[in-house]
Amino acid sequence: MLSDIHDTVRQNLESFGHKHTHLMAAFCLYGAYTVGSTALGWSWRFFKTFLRPSKNLFKRYHGGYVVVTGATNGLGLGYARKFAEKGFNLVLVARNSEKLNTVKSELLRSHPDIDIKLIQFDFDKPYTEEGYASLKESLDMMGDISVLVNNVGAIGTNLFEDMPIDIITRVMNVNLIPQVVMTKFLLPRLLRRSKEEGKRTAILSVSSAAHYIRLPKSTMYSCTKSFNKTFSDVIGKEYGKYIDVMVTTPGPVISNMVNEKAPFVITPEAHARWVLSDLGYNTETFGHYRHWMSTTMFRLPLLGTQFIKMRDRYLNDKSKSSN
Ligand SMILES: NC(=O)c1ccc[n+]([C@@H]2O[C@H](COP(=O)([O-])OP(=O)(O)OC[C@H]3O[C@@H](n4cnc5c(N)ncnc54)[C@H](OP(=O)(O)O)[C@@H]3O)[C@@H](O)[C@H]2O)c1
């Protein structure tokens, strides 16, 4: 019985192949193209991730000041440390003056030759000219800005119906407005530096793997992180000729948002090191190879469901240990 079916299918396929030789050739070509481009894509990814040497960023951007928002903890502090190691001066922006001063002292202890300026500013508000005037004035007074790191961000972890409205608006204020407004404030200067002074500049923005793996219990976070990704992609298309515009979509990094028990977690310093090794080459990066691999894997439908379950367990444990 089975062999009859097998014979019939084979005969039908053969006669289809004889009748439609062009179509069969097209199928074969498409198959070869798919296999070839996937193999090439993976080889290129492997080369970029593990073998390509980093650019000398200090030379590429001719030193200058790196502005980092949300610089007192987590990823922002990781970026500040790595840029300081490379010899850049820093402008650190965050909400808490005390923490800003502590970070400044810590960085100056290990890098006494760099200059560090501080801007205390709370991004948790909608944009108004008056509300943002002090930030604009402070930035206008800063010297030669070469790199903007749009890092500041906030998260809320709850089902949407249980998410308090003030957390919803906080996530929107802190994740959306600063990246747009900081870019708007500094873009003319970055462009001028690049076009008129011949010194290249950069805008590095922090999105999240939540852009790809849309996370339940973090609705606003996932949506705002997709905005960050799209915003950077489009700004890159507009200004990539003059400015290195890159967005990063990391997975879990140890910070106030995520503790060391999260799956696939890495340190902020490791994250910053991997991201900076792609700056000047890429328009987007996961940063650490572990986040490239985990995000690629968890974007597959069945594995994605497993990741959501794993994250739920992590969130439950985290809330139990914080109670
Ligand atoms: N951690 C992760 O696993 C992860 C993964 C992917 C993407 N990200 C992204 O990475 C970025 C940084 O996150 P993180 O995990 O490093 O967060 P974090 O540890 O909470 O640090 C946030 C930083 O932003 C500052 N900040 C927070 N609210 C602020 C406000 N309203 N105004 C001014 N400064 C404010 C904080 O300083 P003060 O509170 O002292 O002001 C701190 O310096 C975010 O964009 C986040 O979406 C994080």
Side-chain angles (χ1 to χ4, degrees):
M1 172 72 177
L2 262 180
S3 66
D4 287 349
I5 296 174
H6 180 255
D7 284 346
T8 319
V9 170
R10 208 193 61 214
Q11 278 163 14
N12 281 342
L13 276 179
E14 273 173 12
S15 79
F16 181 85
H18 288 311
K19 274 193 221 152
H20 304 282
T21 43
H22 293 309
L23 201 59
M24 290 307 276
F27 270 136
C28 291
L29 272 177
Y30 180 68
Y33 167 77
T34 309
V35 172
S37 60
T38 308
L40 263 178
W42 278 86
S43 314
W44 175 234
R45 170 66 81 169
F46 184 86
F47 169 75
K48 278 198 312 189
T49 309
F50 298 109
L51 303 175
R52 186 175 62 185
S54 312
K55 298 237 185 234
N56 179 334
L57 296 183
F58 191 84
K59 206 167 145 200
R60 183 171 178 83
Y61 303 127
H62 302 263
Y65 282 83
V66 177
V67 181
V68 185
T69 64
T72 54
N73 198 68
L75 282 75
L77 181 53
Y79 290 124
R81 287 192 177 128
K82 285 291 155 205
F83 275 110
E85 258 173 39
K86 292 180 189 299
F88 285 91
N89 297 318
L90 298 171
V91 179
L92 309 178
V93 190
R95 165 178 61 169
N96 182 316
S97 299
E98 210 176 304
K99 285 194 211 163
L100 278 168
N101 279 304
T102 311
V103 167
K104 178 175 175 176
S105 311
E106 182 231 300
L107 289 170
L108 284 178
R109 261 196 306 279
S110 29
H111 309 287
D113 296 338
I114 67 170
D115 184 35
I116 302 182
K117 311 244 188 262
L118 305 178
I119 301 179
Q120 186 276 324
F121 190 78
D122 188 350
F123 287 107
D124 186 8
K125 55 190 164 202
Y127 175 82
T128 60
E129 207 173 320
E130 300 86 346
Y132 267 72
S134 69
L135 177 65
K136 180 144 190 353
E137 278 163 24
S138 305
L139 288 170
D140 286 347
M141 285 185 320
M142 299 297 161
D144 179 35
I145 294 174
S146 53
V147 180
L148 164 63
V149 182
N150 273 321
N151 164 75
V152 71
I155 195 169
T157 46
N158 230 329
L159 285 174
F160 188 67
E161 60 178 317
D162 300 326
M163 183 96 70
I165 192 84
D166 58 326
I167 303 285
I168 292 178
T169 52
R170 173 164 188 254
V171 174
M172 291 199 291
N173 286 339
V174 179
N175 291 5
L176 302 178
I177 299 170
Q179 293 208 2
V180 177
V181 174
M182 290 295 291
T183 304
K184 181 75 183 154
F185 282 171
L186 293 179
L187 187 68
R189 286 171 71 174
L190 296 175
L191 272 177
R192 209 176 316 119
R193 189 179 191 268
S194 177
K195 281 186 190 175
E196 292 169 20
E197 297 170 35
K199 297 181 192 163
R200 204 163 170 82
T201 51
I203 303 176
L204 165 62
S205 298
V206 182
S207 167
S208 162
H211 159 69
Y212 292 113
I213 310 169
R214 275 85 201 257
L215 295 172
K217 298 194 183 159
S218 294
T219 317
M220 298 316 298
Y221 185 73
S222 301
C223 296
T224 53
K225 291 289 129 184
S226 286
F227 176 93
N228 296 158
K229 169 83 171 65
T230 307
F231 180 67
S232 179
D233 288 348
V234 180
I235 290 290
K237 284 183 183 163
E238 288 182 350
Y239 302 104
K241 192 170 164 200
Y242 303 104
I243 303 176
D244 292 335
V245 182
M246 186 171 81
V247 62
T248 176
T249 51
V253 181
I254 298 171
S255 70
N256 285 338
M257 278 186 200
V258 166
N259 69 27
E260 66 291 345
K261 293 195 178 122
F264 304 98
V265 77
I266 59 168
T267 63
E269 289 70 30
H271 166 74
R273 182 161 35 86
W274 280 78
V275 168
L276 296 195
S277 72
D278 281 337
L279 192 57
Y281 287 113
N282 294 15
T283 53
E284 60 179 294
T285 179
F286 290 104
H288 200 283
Y289 74 92
R290 203 186 284 186
H291 289 164
W292 157 48
M293 286 178 172
S294 52
T295 308
T296 307
M297 216 164 69
F298 290 126
R299 285 172 78 185
L300 302 172
L302 285 175
L303 292 176
T305 319
Q306 287 313 311
F307 177 77
I308 304 292
K309 284 186 187 156
M310 207 191 290
R311 182 170 179 268
D312 272 348
R313 279 198 296 277
Y314 161 73
L315 288 178
N316 283 338
D317 292 348
K318 195 174 166 222
S319 79
K320 270 189 219 146
S321 61
S322 62
N323 286 334

